[in-house]
Amino acid sequence: MKAIAIIPGSNTLALIDRPEPSLTADDQVKMKVLRVGICGTDREEAAGGRAKAPDGIETLVLGHEMFGQVVEVGKAVTRVKPGDYAVFTVRRGCPTCIPCGMHRNDMCTTGNYHERGIWGLDGYQSEFAVDQERYLIPVPAELADVGVLAEPMSVSQKAIDAALGTQRGRLPDAAADPDWLSGRRCLVAGLGPIGLLAAIALRLRGADVWGLDVVEEASTRPQWLKTIGGEYINGMQVKTTDIDDTVGEFDLIFEATGVASVEFNLIDALAVNGVYVLTGIPGGDRPIEIAGADLMRQLVLKNQAIVGSVNAAPGHFRIGVDDLGRAQNKWGANHIAKLITQHHPYTDFQAALTEHAADEIKVVVEWGA
Ligand code: BGC
């Protein structure tokens, strides 16, 4: 079968031939891949960054944001049948640590995990994929157009969950109120897919959402956010450290910029008892200058918390899929589908992985007929 692969550590990108996978155990599911999303991680891999091929081979099939249709199931599979839509998750746990033993591969402590399409296991940029049912999340047919957003949505959901869990563990009001987010001031920094999907989840829970980016207010991403009731902060006009004086402080900050200096300076916009969750993974190793004493003084004197978040558990995928459905009902399927701004046929993989349009939100590669 055809697959899009790289030689890790290089920028050699090619359409290759891989043997078509078939079921080898009763608990496995085979899917026809319909489309696969591209994110910063894929582009970093395609540019020679962090990636690892499966043991014993030179190439790695890319792709971890998959959406597919079941074509065959093993005898022990109970949750899906041929014809159903679903996604496979990304991370496979290590054999030894406690979180992996508890099916929380996303919290692996040894680092000996694998990630499909990223670290040691082929990804989903290919015609077919096989994996165990325990790594499968069903997607209702009504969500077929946006099911490919399930993986980035799971990343946003885990980060919000981490922020809320932090607050519940230390604030009496957050512990007592399941609707704690309702009416809270939330800042989403970086209006890419992760940020906008987080904005969906926060708006669905009644939060007041401001989005920060460095594009014109009239452009696609700020306008998309405004349609779901968010406000826009133009980072070309407001310095990160002036956000608090201009629009006020925030109870929750969700970071998805991947820009280290912005990530540090955003602490300044946090309210008393605020929580700040980071999902951006900055590249490079250039030192940056920050007002360290100011930021740390504030963090302590205002009881603030900072938490990093990567990957997601199956539960975050499930909540994410539910939220995509609720979002379609609330703002219209058309509006949610507009998050996918570019559809490339798989033959156009080079452009999909290397070109970056100014107005893009999610770029996907199409494998389905
Ligand atoms: C993926 C995560 C993965 C992380 C680190 C992200 O792009 O969405 O699932 O854990 O990269 O490899």
Side-chain angles (χ1 to χ4, degrees):
M1 66 172 181
K2 296 184 193 71
I4 301 167
I6 51 158
I7 298 176
S10 79
N11 57 7
T12 315
L13 200 57
L15 194 61
I16 62 160
D17 213 31
R18 266 282 197 275
E20 185 176 319
S22 45
L23 302 187
T24 55
D26 287 349
D27 64 345
Q28 289 178 341
V29 175
K30 179 171 177 175
M31 281 204 253
K32 160 96 190 85
V33 175
L34 295 179
R35 62 182 67 88
V36 182
I38 303 238
C39 78
T41 301
D42 299 285
R43 286 185 169 147
E44 189 193 332
E45 292 178 72
R50 197 174 66 90
K52 190 174 147 195
D55 281 346
I57 56 175
E58 204 193 8
T59 51
L60 170 74
V61 175
L62 286 176
H64 58 279
E65 301 183 0
M66 72 88 72
F67 174 69
Q69 190 165 28
V70 175
V71 289
E72 200 184 340
V73 298
K75 279 207 292 285
V77 170
T78 57
R79 288 184 299 139
V80 283
K81 55 181 188 322
D84 289 351
Y85 296 105
V87 303
F88 283 133
T89 62
V90 181
R91 193 177 283 193
R92 304 295 172 259
C94 80
T96 46
C97 85
I98 292 173
C100 286
M102 299 171 80
H103 303 298
R104 284 298 304 265
N105 309 340
D106 61 309
M107 301 303 281
C108 178
T109 58
T110 62
N112 295 328
Y113 59 78
H114 293 83
E115 287 183 337
R116 293 204 59 168
I118 305 171
W119 206 249
L121 288 176
D122 273 345
Y124 306 115
Q125 290 283 16
S126 57
E127 293 175 86
F128 295 95
V130 167
D131 217 320
Q132 287 172 275
E133 183 184 17
R134 56 187 274 221
Y135 301 124
L136 175 147
I137 312 293
V139 174
E142 309 84 80
L143 295 181
D145 288 344
V146 294
V148 70
L149 299 173
E151 197 279 340
M153 180 54 128
S154 75
V155 169
S156 303
Q157 295 284 350
K158 173 178 170 178
I160 292 171
D161 186 26
L164 290 181
T166 302
Q167 298 304 69
R168 287 193 193 109
R170 66 196 196 107
L171 298 181
D173 52 332
D177 182 2
D179 290 328
W180 183 79
L181 271 177
S182 180
R184 295 280 154 190
R185 291 173 56 90
C186 297
L187 173 65
V188 173
L191 298 181
I194 298 287
L196 290 175
L197 290 165
I200 288 182
L202 294 168
R203 289 290 300 135
L204 285 172
R205 286 156 187 79
D208 294 332
V209 174
W210 281 257
L212 170 71
D213 209 317
V214 285
V215 291
E216 294 300 340
E217 178 148 3
S219 67
T220 311
R221 298 195 296 267
Q223 291 305 315
W224 193 95
L225 176 70
K226 285 184 151 188
T227 302
I228 67 162
E231 308 254 357
Y232 182 56
I233 303 170
N234 187 341
M236 297 188 294
Q237 286 163 10
V238 184
K239 266 178 46 189
T240 315
T241 45
D242 290 342
I243 291 175
D244 52 347
D245 305 317
T246 318
V247 283
E249 297 173 330
F250 292 92
D251 303 307
L252 185 154
I253 300 180
F254 183 108
E255 183 279 331
T257 68
V259 180
S261 57
V262 174
E263 293 187 343
F264 276 105
N265 283 325
L266 277 171
I267 297 172
D268 184 66
L270 214 46
V272 171
N273 292 353
V275 64
Y276 177 16
V277 62
L278 293 96
T279 68
I281 308 173
D285 52 11
R286 248 189 314 144
I288 53 166
E289 225 172 89
I290 49 162
D294 263 1
L295 296 176
M296 291 306 103
R297 189 166 45 236
Q298 174 196 307
L299 196 79
V300 172
L301 292 176
K302 292 187 176 175
N303 277 310
Q304 296 165 334
I306 303 183
V307 57
S309 180
V310 71
N311 200 251
H316 301 123
F317 275 83
R318 283 191 287 269
I319 296 171
V321 170
D322 285 353
D323 273 6
L324 286 171
R326 292 167 67 198
Q328 280 195 348
N329 291 340
K330 196 167 165 120
W331 297 295
N334 265 344
H335 187 61
I336 307 306
K338 278 190 194 149
L339 286 171
I340 305 172
T341 47
Q342 269 88 4
H343 294 259
H344 291 274
Y346 67 85
T347 44
D348 209 7
F349 61 92
Q350 196 81 38
L353 279 149
T354 56
E355 287 170 14
H356 193 113
D359 260 3
E360 93 174 27
I361 304 177
K362 176 54 72 186
V363 174
V364 302
V365 169
E366 295 286 344
W367 287 91

